[in-house]
């Protein structure tokens, strides 16, 4: 069993910063990609940023230059530093970990419970 737990959401004014953190724990052999996604009511969950075990990153165009994703492979953690926040960044942010629980097993996606980020104008 694998748990993914996020922390760090909250309310911030436009132009401000927040840092989200996520930790994966449990029956983990290895983790391929980790990332952050977000969702607003009535819309599909969308990619914000991902990072591979080798450190390769991918960002949504809407957050490039403002958000930075980082990862600690030894601790199975991933952070998202969000700067210059805009009201349109308001959403529930979910952490994702693509986990291999045993050497010969396929990977499985695990999700956190989500953390609310609200940016006021």
């Amino acid at each position: 069993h694998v748990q993914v737990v996020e922390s760090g959401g909250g309310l911030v004014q436009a132009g401000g910063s927040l840092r989200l953190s996520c930790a994966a724990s449990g029956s983990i052999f290895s983790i391929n990609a980790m990332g952050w996604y977000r969702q607003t009511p009535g819309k599909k969950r969308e990619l914000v940023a991902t990072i591979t075990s080798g450190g390769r990153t991918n960002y949504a165009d809407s957050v490039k230059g403002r958000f930075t994703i980082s990862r600690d492979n030894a601790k199975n953690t991933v952070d998202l530093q969000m700067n210059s926040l805009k009201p349109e960044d308001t959403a529930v942010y979910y952490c994702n970990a693509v986990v291999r629980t045993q050497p010969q097993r396929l990977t499985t996606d695990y999700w956190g419970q989500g953390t609310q980020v609200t940016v006021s104008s």
Side-chain angles (χ1 to χ4, degrees):
H1 185 60
V2 175
Q3 300 84 36
V4 177
V5 179
E6 306 107 335
S7 62
L11 173 65
V12 66
Q13 288 189 330
S17 298
L18 278 176
R19 188 175 184 88
L20 304 182
S21 296
C22 171
S25 62
S27 301
I28 297 172
F29 173 74
S30 64
I31 302 179
N32 289 6
M34 299 187 79
W36 291 93
Y37 294 73
R38 65 189 181 188
Q39 189 170 21
T40 54
K43 292 189 176 181
K44 291 183 178 181
R45 191 171 297 186
E46 64 176 10
L47 179 147
V48 176
T50 61
I51 184 168
T52 67
S53 57
R56 188 168 65 249
T57 58
N58 181 44
Y59 293 93
D61 287 343
S62 60
V63 307
K64 283 180 181 177
R66 300 188 298 121
F67 291 10
T68 302
I69 190 169
S70 60
R71 175 173 173 174
D72 186 327
N73 290 333
K75 296 181 179 178
N76 292 332
T77 59
V78 61
D79 291 346
L80 185 69
Q81 178 65 41
M82 304 185 294
N83 298 328
S84 302
L85 282 160
K86 304 175 181 180
E88 50 264 44
D89 294 317
T90 296
V92 178
Y93 283 70
Y94 295 91
C95 179
N96 170 262
V98 182
V99 176
R100 193 183 307 277
T101 57
Q102 294 183 26
Q104 303 302 321
R105 288 245 174 128
L106 296 176
T107 57
T108 301
D109 279 315
Y110 289 91
W111 294 88
Q113 77 287 353
T115 185
Q116 178 69 46
V117 171
T118 303
V119 184
S120 63
S121 57

